[in-house]
Amino acid sequence: MTGQPRPLFQIDAADLARIREVPMFRHMDPEVAAAVLAGAVPRRWDRGASVVRQGDPADAFWVILDGWVKLYRLLPDGSEAVVAVMTVGESFAEAAMFMGGRFPVAADTVTEARLLRIEAATLRAAMRADGRVATALLASIAHHTTTLSEQVRVMKAHAAPQRVADFLVTCARRVQGEGAAGRLRMRLPYDKALIARRLGMTPESFSRALATLRAEGVAVERDSVEIASLSRLAQFAREASDRL
């Protein structure tokens, strides 16, 4: 029937599983999710594509189905302040869209990516129809706030090698699962210069931190990392910064 919302299962099972990782959708009933996702279609993006420009009207939010996306603010001198780098099972721009203003940050893909754009008008209609949608949205915004606060805490409390160790452990467990503990080899998810900026350090301090981590069983060759013991590296990441 023309004009009717598209059902949830226009999105395939693999993408639906990724969407279910997003805090907003994690505990949402299927029929409620169907209303929020009505008409949404995944789109592919090339590496380095501009998804959102800083100052654009906040008329949608995005779920990442594949790849990595960088959120950043453009500073008056033309440089970038990286706010976050996000990947599969994460979403961005909900808070700005909820407020109905303009995007305070820009978003670019840092790898090839697939994103699901969810229109503000669709979300607001779902919120009017079912109060559980508003509760899920607020939970998602609270999750982003908590995550950002934790990132700031880590940058202030930990020395550079610990920040890099924590980053590597997080990336490894995304690939291997939360229970991963032993030896593994993985590719860095994106370029080292961006990792350094994401962790609040210069490329030079990032390189020095990697060199320090050799003693903890970390070997880096170009964009590949070998970790002798993930559990050992995780323990190192948790230790007080005066250990270094």
Side-chain angles (χ1 to χ4, degrees), residues 21-53:
E21 295 177 29
V22 175
M24 180 172 174
F25 293 98
R26 195 168 293 159
H27 304 295
M28 191 180 283
D29 290 344
E31 70 273 12
V32 179
V36 175
L37 297 170
V41 178
R43 175 183 167 187
R44 293 187 179 277
W45 296 77
D46 292 333
R47 177 180 178 178
S50 174
V51 180
V52 173
R53 291 176 298 180

Side-chain angles (χ1 to χ4, degrees), residues 7 16 44 92 121 138 151 164-165 206 208 216 236 243-244:
L16 184 58
R44 293 187 179 277
F92 61 94
L138 291 173
Q151 289 173 357
V164 176
F206 179 69
R208 288 194 295 271
E216 304 301 324
F236 175 85
R243 153 76 165 72
L244 302 170

Side-chain angles (χ1 to χ4, degrees), residues 159-161 163-164 193 195-203 205-207 209:
R163 278 180 263 163
V164 176
I195 295 172
R197 288 159 56 202
R198 159 67 182 78
L199 297 178
M201 59 184 73
T202 64
S205 60
F206 179 69
S207 294

